[in-house]
Amino acid sequence: MLKVSKYSIAVEDRDKIIVFNTLTSSVIRMDKDVYYHVFVLNEIPDDDTCKILVDMGYLVDESLNEDFRLMMYRRKYIYADRGLTSAVIAVTTECNARCYYCYENGIKREPMDTETVDGIIDFLDKNSKSRKLVVQWFGGEPLCAVNIIDRIAIGLKQRGIELSSLITTNGFHINQEILYKAKTIWNIKRFQIPLDALGKEYNRIKNYVNVNSQDNPFNLIIKNIHLILDEGFHVNIRTNFNPENIEPTRDVLNFLATEFKGEKKFFAYPEPITGIGMPSVVDTNFTGQIHPYLDLLLEARKLGFLCPTLLMEDNYLEGGEALSGIKLNSRPTGCYATLRNTIAIDSKGVLYKCHRLLGRGNKYSCGDVFKGIVYNDNYKKFCDDTPCYKECDKCALMPLCHGGCKVKKELYGGHNACIAIKSIVKDLIRVYAQEINK
């Protein structure tokens, strides 16, 4: 006997029904009467149709415990014993900007000392079984500590570790010397740069220190993004938005689509700001005709950022471009912090499971680079795959979020842990169906 998968979401689309499966990413469009008989009455269709629906994941064996299957799938990745393969390293908590929404506000600003640098090299050397490591250079502003990045990158290579890296930077300090190091020493594959507004409003939000009143940081950042692209690097622009005022983000997306038209290694996406006192895209009831996050995603789609053609190179986004762009792609785990093979390291060499906790000390740490990982409750909290909320097991979005972000729940409360698309998932399924119909 068969039953309908709990991960199937039905959406009305004019005179048809679209059904999307969040585990298999299958999508099917059918007549309403066919949907009613199969998905509501659970009547098994003819053999050919039945086989198709089983293959696509819509129908499963009646005895199958889908929660248990998903848990086993997740744990295969969480507990994989491959040693460390990825690390986020905050080379400094110094930053030349003062963004109001930064989750590092209140953290003491200080660089990493040489003893900690050497401790990080030793720690990663001891724990890298594959001898291949992906490092995300982080801060503060990592380019305030170029010498630290140099020393770690060179030290790892001297230990026989093959290094690939990403960097999250505001882009202010980019120059040809930095880009030469990024290519020849750091092996940077991608730059991620936040850009939350245009012109004077950008300058106000970033609030850069030690900048002359006649200088224009926004123009400098745009110039530097062009420099990065000219050197052949990928650039991701994350534009953080307040759901109660999305027009600055719409302006940013339109500006970027024009400014960087034809750039195959350029990508931009909107991301809701999460923080204390900020409206949640999940919890808040917005009064407009269209949900603000959906509004921006549709704008990004119109501009070519969700399923890029002019802006893509060799399936740069993992998986289907349309799925990735609208956050509908199924994942083996909710985030990197749940995996044993990843760690985040702050400028003191303290270990954490998530970069959002960097610099917060014993309350959230799980060891340091000198003594190694401590398998304490802070570590267990992430690798324990218990969902954030009791109702998670009933939610069809579990294959996308796997129970939510534990850090956001801890720091911000409410349903901030939920995947940001939760309130608009049916609208996004319609978008996806339109995209693949092309």
Side-chain angles (χ1 to χ4, degrees), residues 26 177 232 296:
S26 299
E177 181 183 358
L296 288 176

Side-chain angles (χ1 to χ4, degrees), residues 9-77:
I9 299 177
V11 180
E12 288 197 31
D13 184 45
R14 297 185 294 276
D15 60 335
K16 302 286 186 178
I17 297 288
I18 299 171
V19 188
F20 181 78
N21 187 281
T22 56
L23 180 67
T24 63
S25 300
S26 299
V27 63
I28 194 168
R29 196 165 181 262
M30 60 179 61
D31 293 332
K32 289 184 177 180
D33 61 329
V34 175
Y35 168 80
Y36 180 75
H37 283 283
V38 175
F39 287 87
V40 178
L41 299 181
N42 203 25
E43 294 179 356
I44 304 304
D46 62 78
D47 289 346
D48 289 342
T49 304
C50 183
K51 183 179 185 306
I52 291 170
L53 294 178
V54 169
D55 289 344
M56 297 178 76
Y58 294 114
L59 296 179
V60 297
D61 192 279
E62 189 176 42
S63 66
L64 175 67
N65 184 320
E66 291 188 271
D67 293 331
F68 181 70
R69 179 183 63 175
L70 184 63
M71 181 190 74
M72 295 301 292
Y73 176 57
R74 185 188 309 130
R75 289 185 176 183
K76 180 176 71 172
Y77 289 88

